[in-house]
Amino acid sequence: KAGVTQTPRYLIKTRGQQVTLSCSPISGHRSVSWYQQTPGQGLQFLFEYFSETQRNKGNFPGRFSGRQFSNSRSEMNVSTLELGDSALYLCASSPGTARQETQYFGPGTRLLVL
Amino acid sequence: GENVEQHPSTLSVQEGDSAVIKCTYSDSASNYFPWYKQELGKGPQLIIDIRSNVGEKKDQRIAVTLNKTAKHFSLHITETQPEDSAVYFCAASRMDSSYKLIFGSGTRLLVRP
């Protein structure tokens, strides 16, 4: 099975712009979670989607949003970018039908905000 | 609130020695504790996990122990090899939000040949 794929892998934006990141889960997986990884704050949970519905949400401002499509692919959007949004954005997928399943991570999208 | 503390932040061991990484969690409702290994340029990869109804779990050279009373869990790697060098993260989640992992700050493990 192909693993979790994320596009693009690298992205450079300037302050005030918005960005959309994409995640394709492992075939058959219906849950997609997003995490932000920075040297200062570590790995932080953003949100989780299952069957096109947001099921869990972390403590991030409303500038961070996401959605999931009927094929389970997910996108996250960050509007009005700030310098502090520079990070590695990771998505993880799991079947989504049982509790505490293994989450499989993609390689991440590295976002640099100038 | 939810918090996971992880120690040490860096660990250097000689090849063949053992390595131990410790984590403490604050949320008493946490009941799932995975460990991830992250290599440079890659996403985290699950290496072992443990649930709160189990005190210890082993998988070849890797073992995890859980002390629910003290709210801490540990990763033990025996007979370390240079390819074990990576950043290791512990995490915790609750049954009612099981897809929300709270991660520790990471341990950079260096195995010297």
Side-chain angles (χ1 to χ4, degrees):
Chain A
K1 266 186 182 177
V4 177
T5 58
Q6 293 187 243
T7 56
R9 291 293 311 276
Y10 304 92
L11 207 48
I12 300 176
K13 292 285 187 179
T14 56
R15 279 179 298 174
Q17 288 185 312
Q18 72 166 14
V19 67
T20 299
L21 313 180
S22 180
C23 172
S24 292
I26 292 171
S27 178
H29 285 190
R30 294 164 63 192
S31 168
V32 174
S33 299
W34 288 90
Y35 292 83
Q36 181 195 65
Q37 185 174 26
T38 60
Q41 299 298 317
L43 277 153
Q44 293 186 287
F45 174 81
L46 281 154
F47 29 65
E48 182 244 347
Y49 285 86
F50 176 79
S51 289
E52 303 178 66
T53 301
Q54 189 180 86
R55 195 161 59 172
N56 284 291
K57 188 178 187 306
N59 298 321
F60 277 80
R63 299 185 298 107
F64 292 82
S65 62
R67 61 176 175 168
Q68 187 180 35
F69 301 95
S70 58
N71 61 358
S72 295
R73 190 177 70 86
S74 178
E75 289 181 347
M76 68 162 282
N77 183 276
V78 187
S79 62
T80 319
L81 284 166
E82 301 176 358
L83 295 179
D85 297 333
S86 293
L88 181 67
Y89 289 89
L90 293 158
C91 83
S93 79
S94 57
T97 54
R99 298 190 187 278
Q100 299 169 343
E101 300 165 328
T102 297
Q103 293 192 34
Y104 297 87
F105 282 83
T109 293
R110 185 163 296 281
L111 171 65
L112 176 61
V113 182
L114 301 176
Chain B
E2 305 156 320
N3 186 49
V4 175
E5 292 191 1
Q6 183 173 345
H7 299 281
S9 57
T10 59
L11 180 59
S12 179
V13 299
Q14 196 70 38
E15 181 178 359
D17 287 350
S18 295
V20 180
I21 302 170
K22 298 182 179 182
C23 290
T24 304
Y25 60 97
S26 61
D27 187 350
S28 57
S30 297
N31 57 0
Y32 173 62
F33 308 92
W35 285 87
Y36 283 86
K37 174 184 181 181
Q38 186 174 26
E39 296 175 307
L40 201 61
K42 298 184 179 179
Q45 180 182 16
L46 181 79
I47 55 172
I48 196 168
D49 57 11
I50 192 168
R51 289 167 175 77
S52 60
N53 58 344
V54 174
E56 183 176 3
K57 183 177 178 181
K58 286 184 179 179
D59 182 4
Q60 299 182 346
R61 297 186 296 108
I62 294 173
V64 58
T65 58
L66 171 65
N67 183 326
K68 281 188 64 180
T69 303
K71 292 195 282 188
H72 66 69
F73 56 114
S74 301
L75 177 72
H76 304 252
I77 306 174
T78 59
E79 300 173 20
T80 54
Q81 302 166 2
E83 51 265 39
D84 293 330
S85 296
V87 180
Y88 291 80
F89 292 95
C90 62
S93 73
R94 304 161 54 110
M95 178 70 77
D96 59 358
S97 55
S98 56
Y99 296 94
K100 177 181 179 181
L101 293 175
I102 306 300
F103 281 89
S105 53
T107 296
R108 185 174 300 278
L109 174 64
L110 173 64
V111 180
R112 307 186 305 273

